[in-house]
Every structure is written in structure tokens, then in C-alpha cells.
Amino acid sequence: MSSRLILVSHAPTTATRAAAFPRDEPLDAHGLTDATALAGTLAGADEVRCGPALRCVQTATALGLTPTLDDDLRDGDPGRWAGRTLDDVAAGEPEAVAAWLTDPAAAPHGGESLHDLLDRTARWLRELPATSRTVVAVTHPMVIRACIVTAIKATPASFWRIDIAPLTATVLRGRAGTWTLRTTAGPLSRGPAAPSPGPVPAG
């Protein structure tokens, strides 16, 4: 038996557009409008989960979904960097940013290290029930990137080479310990590429 896991990246917020480390911001007006326009494109899933952040809950609701909150789908914790742009932090703490980008165990911001994020998402994938069904999970780009790294058994350095845009779907097929990456960051749409319980979307 295998599951089909559709990982949906939340719609944009002001932090997303500013390349800032997030707090618990709501979707911005354009992000909410864009997500609402896609309502119904993910109908038919057997289970829907989402991270506890407001931006994930708002995205799921705008898409017409009724999710169960899942704390393991929370964003990576940026610690004291929350609310600041990457450029700002890099200008003031270049060595700290360099450590964060090169050492998976480093957490110079006092939050969650990449190693911890990868462990958390790997455990989450292992604990998904081994049944034949479709699961939609509305979460954050960092979580989706970590799931991809786990699925394809890549190195932690690969995490920084994966781009996940807002309102996109990444599809995995498989079961605990054995996942196949089917599509990466395909834009949600009402066309033939829209993720659904039917054929896997191209992208």
C-alpha cells in the first residue's frame, strides 16, 4: 500500500515578499485573494493536515479545506531573527549566517537547527499511516524542502538548493521509509495540472 502526499506551500505574506524571517503573520491581501481563487482544486483528499501557523490555516481555509492542525508541520524556528530580513541579519551577523547556511547543527539564532528540522520532518514522514490514500498537508517551504531531502535521501546541503514558491504543490508517493518524488513545486491551478486524487500533476 502506498500513500499520495501533496505538500502545499502556504500563500504569500508580507514576510514572504520581503524575504524576511517570519513571525506568525497573516496572509497579505494578494495572497489571500490568490488562495481563494484556487478553492476546490484540492477537493477529494482522504485527509488534510496543516501547520499551526496562521498563514497555513488561512491558506487551507481559503482553498476550501478543513484541516487538522499538525504541530510537526510547523515552520523552522528562526529564533531571535524572526521579523528581520536575511539581508539585514547578514549585514550585522555575517559569521552567524554563514554558520547557519553551512553547518546543519548550527542554530546561531537560538531557534531550530537544520538538523533538528530534518529530523522532525523525517519522523513525520515515517509516522504517516501506511494506507492507500491521498493526504494534503498545507505547510511551509522549509518543511517541504526538508521532506524532499528525506524522500530522495539527499545530503543536508541539498536543502539550500531547493526552491519552493508560495501556493505550489510538491507530490510524494510511497510509505514510511520509501518515498518517490513525483513533482516539485508545481503551481496550483484549475487546469489539468491541478493536484487531485486522480493522475499525478506534471511539473
Side-chain angles (χ1 to χ4, degrees):
M1 294 184 292
S2 66
S3 294
R4 186 166 182 266
L5 175 60
I6 303 174
L7 296 157
V8 178
S9 180
H10 66 73
T13 67
T14 54
T16 304
R17 298 189 194 278
F21 292 96
R23 297 185 188 273
D24 194 14
E25 303 89 357
L27 302 182
D28 64 19
H30 291 297
L32 183 58
T33 297
D34 290 346
T36 301
L38 293 167
T41 57
L42 292 164
D46 298 300
E47 182 179 359
V48 179
R49 304 186 188 189
C50 81
L54 179 59
R55 55 194 180 278
C56 289
V57 175
Q58 286 185 324
T59 298
T61 301
L63 291 171
L65 304 172
T66 304
T68 298
L69 297 186
D70 189 330
D71 189 60
D72 282 336
L73 292 173
R74 67 188 183 277
D75 202 3
D77 180 5
R80 60 186 175 81
W81 292 351
R84 299 174 62 188
T85 66
L86 179 58
D87 286 346
D88 175 53
V89 175
E93 303 178 54
E95 293 182 358
V97 170
W100 179 63
L101 292 172
T102 58
D103 181 0
H109 43 49
E112 189 175 31
S113 70
L114 176 57
H115 184 273
D116 290 341
L117 173 64
L118 290 169
D119 279 353
R120 167 160 58 92
T121 53
R123 183 183 68 250
W124 183 81
L125 285 172
R126 286 196 304 269
E127 292 176 354
L128 283 177
T131 58
S132 180
R133 59 181 186 155
T134 296
V135 178
V136 170
V138 181
T139 184
H140 307 269
M142 289 189 74
V143 173
I144 297 172
R145 288 153 69 185
C147 285
I148 292 171
V149 168
T150 296
I152 66 175
K153 303 185 187 304
T155 65
S158 303
F159 178 89
W160 303 110
R161 299 293 178 261
I162 301 169
D163 186 21
I164 302 295
L167 285 178
T168 59
T170 293
V171 182
L172 304 179
R173 174 84 75 172
R175 59 187 182 277
T178 307
W179 292 97
T180 299
L181 178 64
R182 300 296 299 271
T183 62
T184 305
L188 294 178
S189 74
R190 292 189 173 280
S196 71
V200 176

